[in-house]
């Protein structure tokens, strides 16, 4: 019987004990960790909603008067120079008015020369009569007549000068009216859109009613980013601060820039946080060569920086200013209080409480984390932590 006990009950007891130990074993919490290191830490603020790439020089162009399109000199995506003709309206009548005004000006100039020559002759004759009257070689009547004729001719010359000036003004007026039918590029740029074809009628926008422009012209050398910043962060921003610009069209790339201006008022939009619009320019030569107006963009403004600071990932810091540090010997946690400095979405500066080389948990939302808990750690990126 004793042998039966040893060969049957003892293995059963050992199996039960092993099963108990297995069922009551401490299961480590799986966490992701990262080593505390040294490096740059920046304090930054970023836009709350997507910003937009805009052009400082962009014009929706339409002739100043309505009319039928006679010539269309450009098409979409054409590059133009300042002063280049974009389109003209039918203006034969206005050209005729201009030619008529020019002819009248020629006639007025001829009449002026005639009147002034006669005035010069009349003044010479009046001068001779003045000499004759002193020697009593002419009558008072002839003298008076010569003086009056000279003054009348001179007045006629002055009137002819006024008529010539009027004729020149008519030319200027006709030219101005004619120019209203010719649409010129106000600056160098690229044609973004053309609305209209030869033969169609264009009408300027009435006050308060927006209509499509005949030509939408954009200067691609004046692109910048406009982005909304939460009003809470605006007081920290100053023109000239360095910034990083990111574009959805160029993923995983950042372009250096600088804050150009801050709007002097707060945007109050229903159901949205109040924001202030800032404008940021790309650094010289930093913008991508195929940058387009209208791209969505984000701006991260650098408020302050520490070039070489002890730092931890920001997601490792709990709300009460503590972190979960991992004991490399036991793989157990201990909650460590730290004093923080600059912080952004990626890194937080550690002034006291941690040293480079220590390991902290970055997945602080895992269930079961507490002082003394056993963990199974993986490095960020999936690399297994060293035991």
């Amino acid at each position: 019987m004793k042998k039966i006990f040893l060969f049957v009950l003892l293995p059963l007891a050992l199996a039960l004990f092993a099963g108990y130990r297995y069922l009551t074993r401490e299961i480590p919490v799986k966490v992701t960790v990262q080593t505390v290191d040294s490096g740059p830490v920046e304090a930054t603020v970023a836009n709350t909603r997507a910003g937009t790439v805009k052009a400082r020089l962009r014009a929706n162009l339409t002739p100043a008067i309505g009319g039928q399109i006679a010539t269309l000199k450009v098409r979409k995506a054409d590059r133009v120079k300042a002063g280049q003709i974009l389109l003209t309206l039918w203006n034969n009548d206005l050209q005729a008015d201009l030619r008529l005004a020019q002819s009248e000006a020629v006639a007025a100039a001829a009449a002026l020369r005639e009147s002034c020559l006669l005035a010069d002759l009349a003044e010479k004759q009046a001068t001779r009569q003045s000499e004759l009257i002193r020697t009593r070689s002419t009558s008072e009547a002839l003298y008076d007549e010569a003086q009056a004729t000279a003054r009348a001719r001179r007045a006629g010359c002055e009137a002819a000068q006024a008529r010539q000036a009027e004729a020149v003004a008519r030319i200027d007026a006709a030219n101005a009216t004619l120019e209203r039918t010719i649409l010129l590029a106000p600056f160098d740029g690229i044609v973004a859109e053309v609305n209209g074809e030869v033969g169609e009628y264009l009408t300027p926008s009435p006050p308060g009613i927006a209509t499509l422009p005949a030509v939408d012209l954009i200067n691609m050398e004046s692109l910048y980013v406009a982005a909304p910043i939460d009003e809470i962060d605006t007081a920290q921003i100053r023109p000239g601060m360095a910034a990083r610009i990111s574009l959805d069209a160029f993923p995983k790339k950042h372009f250096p820039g600088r804050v150009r201006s801050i709007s002097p008022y707060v945007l109050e939009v229903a159901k949205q946080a109040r924001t202030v619009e800032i404008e940021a320019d790309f650094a010289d030569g930093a913008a991508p060569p195929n940058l387009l107006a209208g791209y969505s963009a984000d701006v991260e403004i650098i408020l302050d920086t520490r070039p070489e600071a002890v730092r931890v990932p920001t997601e490792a810091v709990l709300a009460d200013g503590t972190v979960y540090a991992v004991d490399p010997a036991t793989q157990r946690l201990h909650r460590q209080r730290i004093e923080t400095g600059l912080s952004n979405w990626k890194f937080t500066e550690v002034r006291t409480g941690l040293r480079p080389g220590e390991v902290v948990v970055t997945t602080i939302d895992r269930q079961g984390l507490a002082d003394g808990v056993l963990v199974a750690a993986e490095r960020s990126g999936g690399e297994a932590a060293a035991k």
Side-chain angles (χ1 to χ4, degrees), residues 9 29 32 35 73 138 151 191 217 249 306 354:
L9 296 182
V29 178
T32 302
T35 303
K73 305 286 188 180
T138 187
R151 288 193 295 271
V191 176
L217 185 63
R306 299 283 189 273
L354 289 173

Side-chain angles (χ1 to χ4, degrees), residues 129 133 138-148:
Q129 288 295 323
I133 197 67
T138 187
S139 64
E140 291 284 344
L142 291 175
Y143 170 77
D144 292 340
E145 181 181 355
Q147 296 298 322

Side-chain angles (χ1 to χ4, degrees), residues 65-76:
I65 61 176
Q68 189 179 37
I69 299 176
T71 63
L72 188 58
K73 305 286 188 180
V74 295
R75 289 294 179 184
K76 188 174 182 178

Side-chain angles (χ1 to χ4, degrees), residues 8-191:
V8 176
L9 296 182
L10 183 60
L12 179 61
L14 292 174
L16 290 173
F17 179 74
Y20 172 78
R21 289 294 302 270
Y22 177 79
L23 293 175
T24 59
R25 77 190 187 283
E26 184 178 7
I27 300 175
V29 178
K30 292 183 178 180
V31 294
T32 302
V33 298
Q34 191 162 326
T35 303
V36 179
D37 64 0
S38 296
V41 179
E42 298 170 338
T44 62
V45 296
N47 48 291
T48 56
R49 299 189 309 279
T52 305
V53 176
K54 297 183 178 181
R56 298 193 185 280
L57 292 176
R58 182 170 186 172
N60 293 323
L61 305 171
T62 300
I65 61 176
Q68 189 179 37
I69 299 176
T71 63
L72 188 58
K73 305 286 188 180
V74 295
R75 289 294 179 184
K76 188 174 182 178
D78 284 354
R79 293 187 177 275
V80 300
K81 294 291 185 180
Q84 183 175 330
I85 295 177
L86 305 179
L87 64 82
T88 60
L89 303 180
W90 184 87
N91 55 20
N92 292 352
D93 54 341
L94 299 178
Q95 291 186 38
D97 289 343
L98 176 60
R99 290 193 295 271
L100 177 60
Q102 290 170 339
S103 299
E104 289 176 347
V106 172
L112 173 62
R113 288 194 299 274
E114 178 187 15
S115 296
C116 291
L117 287 173
L118 292 174
D120 292 342
L121 178 59
E123 287 175 348
K124 289 179 181 178
Q125 291 175 345
T127 301
R128 294 192 193 98
Q129 288 295 323
S130 297
E131 295 173 353
L132 292 174
I133 197 67
R134 284 196 294 271
T135 60
R136 298 187 180 277
S137 299
T138 187
S139 64
E140 291 284 344
L142 291 175
Y143 170 77
D144 292 340
E145 181 181 355
Q147 296 298 322
T149 299
R151 288 193 295 271
R153 293 293 186 184
R154 181 53 59 189
C157 175
E158 293 171 355
Q161 287 177 330
R163 285 191 293 273
Q164 185 193 35
E166 183 181 2
V168 171
R170 284 200 188 97
I171 293 176
D172 293 339
N175 265 322
T177 305
L178 184 62
E179 287 175 1
R180 289 160 66 91
T181 67
I182 302 173
L183 191 61
L184 303 177
F187 47 79
D188 294 353
I190 186 170
V191 176

Side-chain angles (χ1 to χ4, degrees), residues 374-387:
L374 181 67
V375 295
E378 283 189 350
R379 300 284 181 184
S380 296
E383 180 186 353
K387 296 290 185 181

